[in-house]
Amino acid sequence: MSQFIVVNREGAEAVVEGEAGLTLMEIIRDAGFDELLAMCGGCLSCATCHVYVEGDAVAALPEIGEDEDDLLGAVESRKEGSRLSCQIPFSPEMAGLRVTIAPEQ
């Protein structure tokens, strides 16, 4: 398994093991980050799994889809690097990715 970094809303960092085939949302939630609400369970309907992604591994992310882009368009805290973690399947190429949990809406 590959590792990536998760930063919570208070700024504390943790290294998390990612399993290929799971989404970033599932991995972050299962690692105990309760502040990543993911209320819709990954159905692309709530934006409560909003994160900011950065680092050299960003190039390994799938492109943002139209539905994800539209949903993020309604989020006040959107900025460069904003993504919905439910829409990003983890792959080993994402090792070293840094993900910060966005503020609650």
Side-chain angles (χ1 to χ4, degrees):
M1 284 196 273
S2 301
Q3 298 179 329
F4 65 100
I5 299 166
V6 178
V7 182
N8 71 14
R9 291 187 181 128
E10 287 77 43
E13 295 184 10
V15 176
V16 175
E17 294 281 336
E19 183 179 335
L22 296 177
T23 64
L24 289 183
M25 178 205 73
E26 293 169 313
I27 297 166
I28 294 168
R29 181 193 59 205
D30 293 350
F33 290 88
D34 296 333
E35 62 197 282
L36 189 89
L37 299 177
M39 294 176 72
C40 73
C43 294
L44 191 57
S45 65
C46 72
T48 59
C49 67
H50 179 202
V51 295
Y52 305 122
V53 295
E54 56 188 70
D56 293 338
V58 167
L61 296 179
E63 290 209 22
I64 192 168
E66 185 177 334
D67 290 338
E68 179 183 1
D69 193 38
D70 286 347
L71 193 53
L72 282 169
V75 175
E76 291 179 16
S77 58
R78 183 178 188 171
K79 64 180 186 179
E80 184 156 348
S82 282
R83 293 295 302 267
L84 297 180
S85 59
C86 70
Q87 297 302 298
I88 304 173
F90 186 76
S91 69
E93 294 78 29
M94 292 179 197
L97 190 72
R98 182 182 169 92
V99 177
T100 301
I101 299 172
E104 187 172 1
Q105 295 295 304

